[in-house]
Amino acid sequence: MDARQTPSQFLATPVEEIRGIGPARAPYLHRLELRTARDVLFCFPRSYQDMSELREVSQLEEGVMASVVGVVEEVDFRPLRNGRTLLAVLVRQGTQYIRCMWFSQGFLRDKYKPGRRVLVSGAPKLQGLRWEFTHPRTQMLADDEDAPTGRILPVYSLTDGITQTQMRRMVQNVVEKYSEYLEEVFPDELRKAHDLLPISEATLEVHFPTSKERLEGARRRFIYQELLVLQLALCWRKSRLETNCTAVPMPIDARIDARITRLLPFALTESQRQVINEITADMGRDRPMNRLLQGDVGSGKTVVAMFAMLLTVAHGRQAALMAPTEVLARQHARTLADRLAASRVRIACVTGSMPTGERKQTLAKIQQGEIDIVVGTHAIAASAGGSDLPFAKLGLVVIDEQHKFGVRQRAALKGAGENPHYLVMTATPIPRTISLTLFGDLEVSTLTGTPPGRQKVNTYCVGDERREGWWNFFRKRLAEGRQGYVIAPLVEQSEHIEAQSVTTLYEKLSEGELQGIRCGMLHGKMSSTEKDEILTRFEAGKLQVLIATPVIEVGIDVPNATLMTIEDGERFGLAQLHQLRGRVTRGQHPGFCCVFAQPSTEESQQRLAAFTQSTDGFELAEIDFRLRGPGDLLGTKQHGLPPLRMADLVRDREILLKARVDAQQMLLESPELATQELAKLRRMVLVRYGKTLDLGSVG
Ligand code: ADP
Ligand code: MG
């Protein structure tokens, strides 16, 4: 290091100035977003190759990780029936062969050239007489290159033009020269209490582990660090919201309670009462409520929201109810208008596709305080930023069916004038570790059980041979006055093809199995007026069957609809299937859900088995997370937080909970993390989350 440089300046050395990289190789690193020595230090391996287990083919054991060196003999690439592709590479070692397979990874096909030496690592399976590796890790070897042995080697993400070996050398260079200048962010005491490796050592070990145990130790340090910083950010935000924000208190009393209860169409269940008590207690305070209401599909969340909104109106304030789709927003608006017809509560619906004139008029009314309850879509809420929805005196915001949205979207409405109370509702229960993160700044209420008089729902998962039987049954129930849904096959990413698929199915059914039945269809290409009209007719019983896309609006509530048909069931996730089934478990008649499926993987078989065996959304959610394994979908990407590099919210549950407690403790002791000891951690929190979570910037 240059004597005039500080460690942090030294770590900021551009990669092109680093020996072993230089201007020639720097562009490759740039493509991986690696610009400085520090970036390279924190470019953690994607995985590891355990060379201590180099094997002969004859020594392989079923399911036991091993590495094999051989020569590429044959490369076969072909499409499969289900739209995926198969890349199969035959590798010879002496007189023995192994087969490597990759699904839907066609981009790998040019990597394997017959005659080239390759190192294959993975867990083999014996298929007949031949060992197969599915999605193994591989490394091409030069003819005279020894397979690296006796070590755990890092595997980095690469970009075209550099090899794994080159990348390893570059990283090694940087690690050896720079890692000792990294600054420790943890206070000593904390690091020792958790038995964490110091930063420089952890960095060395994570790139070039000296043993499995040391590698684990290094990973644990980074995972803890990552989760602690995340939890500090979330808890900090929460305490800021609690201390800095005031809200208008809207306490409940017996008189208001009685007035509201009279407006409700039925007696509340005990659980609904309980949850309402939690909510009204929050709303009675002069701090904004920030509450997540979890309740299974059909558990009766809407009426809870209605109660909270009416309490708001009773205090002369406005309430906003935000739904995920326009159709659902309008349904909510209609239901509310019906139920409150006898009262003086004024309701308006604002959606993106409203005619401009009408929209202007409605907005003006909202602004003048002439509307009490505004129903709209998440999209409107997110784009509001204070200007689009000009509330005169917003007291409460309810967000319905929020599962894709996280902390950040809520921030948007926060900025809209004064601080409203906040109620977020979701039917997708989330394991606690996840909710701590997605909704780490919220209190949680849980609605249990179902409203009284509910019938059971019967679920069948069958193959094509049962179609005729199902349609006979379907028609019989329709004749008895029930209604039903048919969900068209899942089409990804194209509204156009999706619309086509619904239309085709509609035509096929109305000339076939559902001939003479009054059917309507619903898909994303229709205008919202069209959608609305169809749905209203379905609600009124004028249509008997609704043929719709898989995204048939979550939350739609037509109690007389008791029949659900799902095509291509194996392609749906558990949560989605459960949501769909939830459409037919809402009334006094038993529901029937029939899934046509051809599950080809073990995972999809288990998924569908779980679906037929359980109707408990919470249980299904747990199974879903287990089946999908850690990592999938739970990345923080989809809820607007920067992605985690190493931690996994499910796998690292224990560490997460520990980090949460530590974060709370730290913030309790120094509310703004303002002590000298915590200065570095504080800075790290701000760099990473300051902007997304409105915590401020580094200064
Ligand atoms: P979700 O929680 O899925 O949003 P909803 O609020 O749409 O569920 O309620 C599902 C159905 O149950 C609706 O038809 C609603 O009218 C009915 N419901 C809700 N609470 C009760 C209750 N306490 N008694 C009778 N029916 C109820
Ligand atoms: Mg709902």
Side-chain angles (χ1 to χ4, degrees), residues 301-302 328 332 400-401 425 555 586:
K301 294 182 290 294
T302 316
L328 190 57
H332 274 321
D400 191 19
E401 301 292 353
M425 310 202 289
R586 316 183 77 81

Side-chain angles (χ1 to χ4, degrees), residues 312-388:
T312 311
V313 177
H315 281 276
R317 307 241 131 211
Q318 293 168 302
L321 171 61
M322 299 299 161
T325 64
E326 292 206 354
V327 171
L328 190 57
R330 284 187 223 237
Q331 191 188 35
H332 274 321
R334 271 198 304 275
T335 313
L336 283 169
D338 278 356
R339 290 186 181 163
L340 300 178
S343 74
R344 274 181 315 206
V345 179
R346 298 157 299 180
I347 298 162
C349 188
V350 184
T351 62
S353 66
M354 238 168 143
T356 327
E358 196 186 325
R359 188 182 157 102
K360 267 205 181 125
Q361 239 176 8
T362 312
L363 293 183
K365 280 191 187 162
I366 297 173
Q367 189 159 30
Q368 284 146 26
E370 287 166 22
I371 300 290
D372 302 305
I373 296 181
V374 179
V375 186
T377 53
H378 287 169
I380 289 193
S383 72
S387 57
D388 202 8

Side-chain angles (χ1 to χ4, degrees), residues 266-267 269 272 296-302 339 451-452 454 557 586:
F266 33 62
T269 65
Q272 282 169 332
D296 202 353
V297 180
S299 60
K301 294 182 290 294
T302 316
R339 290 186 181 163
R454 277 302 161 70
D557 179 29
R586 316 183 77 81

Side-chain angles (χ1 to χ4, degrees), residues 250 260 276 279-280 283 289 302-313 319 396 398 423:
M250 301 189 282
I260 295 178
I276 286 173
I279 291 169
T280 51
M283 289 173 63
M289 163 170 75
T302 316
V303 73
V304 173
M306 187 169 150
F307 196 107
M309 292 193 289
L310 290 173
L311 174 59
T312 311
V313 177
L396 170 74
V398 182
L423 179 64

